[in-house]
Amino acid sequence: MKVTINDVAKYAGVSIKTVSRVTNKEPSVKQATIDKVNQAIAALNYQPNLAARNLASTSSYVIGFIYDNPNAYYIIDMQNGILSACNDRGFELLIHPCNAKSESICDELTAMVKHSRLAGLVLTPPMSEDPNILAALDKINANYVRIIAGENTDKNKGLTVLVNDKHGAVEITQHLISLGHQHIGFLSGDHQHESTKERLLGFRKAIENNKLTVNENWVLDGKYSFESGVEGANKLIAMKNRPSAIVACNDEIAAGALFAARLAGLDIPKDLSIVGFEDSPFSRQTWPKLTTVHQPNVEIAQIATQLLINKHKDQGDEKFKIFTPNPVIRDSSASPYTN
């Protein structure tokens, strides 16, 4: 027969409510009691029915992850970070991909919050940066945490995890300049994402800090995809006066640029240095391995979820966290080659 919470309580010699408090990881439970209940759970191989608990309780134990992002590695990292935090606190994870450009996106998300009885939402770009979505969620008093790109934010606008992409872009561009590069191109991602704007701002700031000039012909719009990197790099390589280095807005773009350069017969990094952003598996799967900017997406998602659960359970008043990405130097960048 299936082991129930009643069996655990009887085995441990405590009340059913105490078992519930331990499995829900609630505060103010003595460590000796926690150990006793956990020993009973292990001895009986008790598996809490989280779905039933969510229905029976006046409080929700489900966190929703909302995303619209073409980068599969980013999504996997986010899921792993959120799931880790959920597991630590006895919550479940509901994953909801969506189309951020849909005209009905606000209705879709508010309906999901109501019907799924969510404890809160983890919002990633571009939804976390869309004022219409945020206003719709505020209207129904939904709990959410935003993961956004930027240097500063209004700390009174709810739970926020800020990623300083601009700083990372300044540092990776400075790395190329320190190697001796003065002619540097930039391959952009989707402008729907604030991270694109922040990374481009950082690129421009590093160029200006070194009293160099941004060649606007070398700053190309694109998407966060391998194919966009191939297309953008082909355009730069075909120019009569091409750059000696390329800053790509993420590692997928950088990998595409590296692929295009090698097809064109260029030696990387001897003929052309290429750097990326995010330190995704793409950066370690290319040859040569990509110099990039490390962005700890699993940790970012984990911290965001912890902030959300703490607010839901009225445990702590922390509302803001900032992450500062920094360069990881590998093999795709070197000093410009001169005859």
Side-chain angles (χ1 to χ4, degrees):
M1 294 178 63
K2 185 175 181 180
V3 177
T4 68
I5 192 171
N6 293 2
D7 299 322
V8 175
K10 185 176 180 180
Y11 190 101
V14 299
S15 68
I16 293 173
K17 184 176 181 180
T18 297
V19 176
S20 178
R21 291 179 66 197
V22 171
T23 57
N24 291 337
K25 301 185 185 297
E26 293 184 8
S28 303
V29 181
K30 293 181 179 179
Q31 188 59 48
T33 303
I34 294 173
D35 293 340
K36 188 187 299 183
V37 171
N38 284 334
Q39 287 170 8
I41 289 172
L44 298 174
N45 194 26
Y46 172 62
Q47 301 291 329
N49 188 330
L50 298 179
R53 180 190 64 173
N54 198 52
L55 289 172
S57 175
T58 56
S59 181
S60 173
Y61 290 89
V62 179
I63 298 296
F65 171 38
I66 311 300
Y67 70 88
D68 177 9
N69 192 304
N71 187 338
Y73 288 121
Y74 177 84
I75 298 305
I76 292 170
D77 282 348
M78 286 287 126
Q79 288 180 11
N80 287 339
I82 297 169
L83 190 57
S84 174
C86 285
N87 288 339
D88 286 344
R89 304 291 290 277
F91 278 67
E92 288 189 283
L93 171 60
L94 175 66
I95 299 170
H96 185 82
C98 60
N99 178 5
K101 297 179 182 178
S102 169
E103 294 181 358
S104 61
I105 184 64
C106 292
D107 292 336
E108 177 184 341
L109 295 186
T110 54
M112 189 196 71
V113 172
K114 292 176 181 177
H115 295 160
S116 302
R117 292 187 67 240
L118 296 179
L121 292 171
V122 178
L123 298 177
T124 54
M127 277 79 63
S128 58
E129 299 158 345
D130 187 324
N132 294 322
I133 290 176
L134 301 180
L137 293 174
D138 287 337
K139 190 174 181 179
I140 62 169
N141 295 317
N143 288 326
Y144 59 82
V145 58
R146 301 178 299 152
I147 298 175
I148 61 175
E151 290 183 283
N152 299 291
T153 188
D154 185 346
K155 296 184 181 181
N156 295 318
K157 286 193 174 181
L159 305 181
T160 304
V161 174
L162 195 67
V163 184
N164 194 343
D165 288 288
K166 182 179 177 181
H167 171 86
V170 168
E171 292 297 306
I172 198 68
T173 307
Q174 183 61 52
H175 162 68
L176 292 173
I177 295 171
S178 298
L179 289 173
H181 292 279
Q182 297 187 16
H183 310 294
I184 307 172
F186 185 88
L187 297 181
S188 174
D190 307 66
H191 281 276
Q192 184 185 13
H193 291 257
E194 198 66 27
S195 58
T196 300
K197 302 172 188 176
E198 290 294 315
R199 293 171 192 182
L200 180 54
L201 283 172
F203 167 77
R204 292 184 181 279
K205 181 175 176 60
I207 297 291
E208 293 164 4
N209 285 349
N210 289 272
K211 298 186 173 16
L212 300 175
T213 302
V214 175
N215 186 329
E216 298 299 336
N217 293 326
W218 295 341
V219 178
L220 304 182
D221 287 339
K223 303 288 184 182
Y224 280 119
S225 70
F226 181 91
E227 293 76 16
S228 181
V230 172
E231 181 181 352
N234 280 333
K235 289 178 180 178
L236 292 176
I237 291 168
M239 293 180 181
K240 183 177 181 181
N241 296 312
R242 64 173 175 83
S244 62
I246 294 173
V247 175
C249 218
N250 79 344
D251 292 332
E252 282 191 75
I253 298 172
L258 193 152
F259 177 77
R262 290 179 64 82
L263 282 183
L266 298 180
D267 181 280
I268 308 299
K270 179 180 176 182
D271 299 322
L272 179 68
S273 286
I274 299 173
V275 301
F277 207 108
E278 289 178 12
D279 196 21
S280 74
F282 264 106
S283 66
R284 300 179 291 279
Q285 293 167 351
T286 61
W287 184 76
K289 293 180 180 179
L290 286 169
T291 292
T292 185
V293 177
H294 177 63
Q295 184 171 299
N297 288 325
V298 173
E299 185 182 357
I300 288 169
Q302 195 171 15
I303 293 297
T305 309
Q306 289 171 357
L307 292 178
L308 187 61
I309 293 174
N310 286 345
K311 180 186 177 185
H312 176 68
K313 286 181 162 287
D314 293 322
Q315 297 173 359
D317 55 4
E318 187 177 14
K319 294 183 178 180
F320 180 79
K321 193 80 174 180
I322 186 166
F323 284 85
T324 303
N326 288 296
V328 176
I329 310 304
R330 296 197 180 104
D331 304 324
S332 66
S333 56
S335 298
Y337 177 73
T338 55
N339 292 319

